[in-house]
Amino acid sequence: MGSRLSAISFDAHHPENLARFWSGVMGLEEAGDSSDGVALLSGNDAGYRLRFRPSRKRKTAQNRLHFDLTSSSPENQRETVARALALGARHADVGQGPDASHVVLADPEGNEFCVIEPGNAFLAGCGFIGALACDGSRSVGYFWSEALGWPLVWDQDEETAIQSPNGGTKITWGGPPLMPDPGKDLHLDLAPDDDQQAEVERLLSLGAKRLDSDHGGDGAVLLADPDGNEFRVLG
């Protein structure tokens, strides 16, 4: 038993518009088989999609999850920033300071993301979406390593990171203290390898909590990880 990461899912007031923004920033094509919002083909070795699901949730704080986009050169970093701004992004202040070498932006619905400076060794070889950077505890990094079968590639000073055996995007957790739930955020969608209910029970045994039996009428089971972050197990 197990699950694969099917999608990194955005809560979106306007899914089509938000998908168009991220498609433009990253040059991604739309997946034509999404019955739940809009999906983009990430083209990433980790094998997931980007999904934009309709939601009425209001964003009340900084997201717990955000993308770190990589750069191949200073010019490439500037080009990514300029492209994102032209598509509707804005600069965002999350306390990074004026001397930060990375650039913090927010998409048209306020989801923060970083454009990382070139030469970042930790994200080398991970692709354009170098990391899904998460606010979270060391224990939740261990939970997701077991949930997805992705080995730990970093475990030091309360910080953890996992990566698919196929490579691609790393998922990282920065350790305590945990930021408040922002309401509107990014979430993980899991596709079970076999029986959905058996996989739900396995995830519960690892420390997940059941929030609802069905979410959005699509047969997905809504759970929360040990830090309280919602995720879905697809039917």
Side-chain angles (χ1 to χ4, degrees), residues 187-209:
H187 309 279
L188 303 185
D189 288 349
L190 308 189
D193 293 335
D194 193 4
D195 180 71
Q196 181 195 40
Q197 189 53 46
E199 178 59 7
V200 167
E201 293 301 324
R202 185 184 76 91
L203 294 167
L204 293 173
S205 74
L206 293 175
K209 296 180 181 179

Side-chain angles (χ1 to χ4, degrees), residues 5-19:
L5 178 59
S6 173
I8 297 172
S9 181
F10 288 70
D11 292 329
H13 294 162
H14 304 284
E16 295 82 4
N17 293 344
L18 198 58

Side-chain angles (χ1 to χ4, degrees), residues 33-228:
D33 59 350
S34 177
S35 60
D36 187 18
V38 183
L40 301 177
L41 300 169
S42 71
N44 193 281
D45 290 342
Y48 60 86
R49 297 182 177 189
L50 302 185
R51 183 171 288 130
F52 303 85
R53 302 185 65 249
S55 174
R56 296 182 179 179
K57 293 180 179 179
R58 293 180 59 241
K59 180 176 166 65
T60 60
Q62 179 183 330
N63 285 11
R64 283 185 176 180
L65 289 74
H66 72 267
F67 284 136
D68 285 343
L69 306 182
T70 62
S71 303
S72 59
S73 67
E75 181 182 8
N76 178 242
Q77 184 185 29
R78 290 191 294 269
E79 288 174 348
T80 299
V81 171
R83 184 168 62 253
L85 293 172
L87 290 167
R90 58 176 176 80
H91 287 278
D93 184 359
V94 295
Q96 68 270 27
D99 298 326
S101 52
H102 63 284
V103 179
V104 183
L105 302 174
D107 72 17
E109 294 202 11
N111 301 297
E112 298 88 0
F113 64 100
C114 296
V115 184
I116 304 299
E117 69 282 357
N120 185 295
F122 182 70
L123 300 181
C126 293
F128 189 27
I129 308 176
L132 177 67
C134 310
D135 180 65
S137 63
R138 185 181 185 218
S139 61
V140 89
Y142 277 71
F143 167 83
W144 281 107
S145 177
E146 290 288 337
L148 293 173
W150 289 17
L152 285 160
V153 294
W154 182 264
D155 182 9
Q156 185 172 318
D157 299 328
E158 300 290 338
E159 298 178 353
T160 51
I162 62 175
Q163 187 177 31
S164 166
N166 297 323
T169 301
K170 292 177 177 176
I171 306 179
T172 70
W173 291 270
L178 189 64
M179 293 190 299
D181 185 346
K184 183 174 178 288
D185 206 344
L186 282 65
H187 309 279
L188 303 185
D189 288 349
L190 308 189
D193 293 335
D194 193 4
D195 180 71
Q196 181 195 40
Q197 189 53 46
E199 178 59 7
V200 167
E201 293 301 324
R202 185 184 76 91
L203 294 167
L204 293 173
S205 74
L206 293 175
K209 296 180 181 179
R210 186 187 296 270
L211 298 181
D212 201 348
S213 59
D214 182 86
H215 187 56
D218 60 358
V221 177
L222 184 63
L223 303 177
D225 70 20
D227 279 351

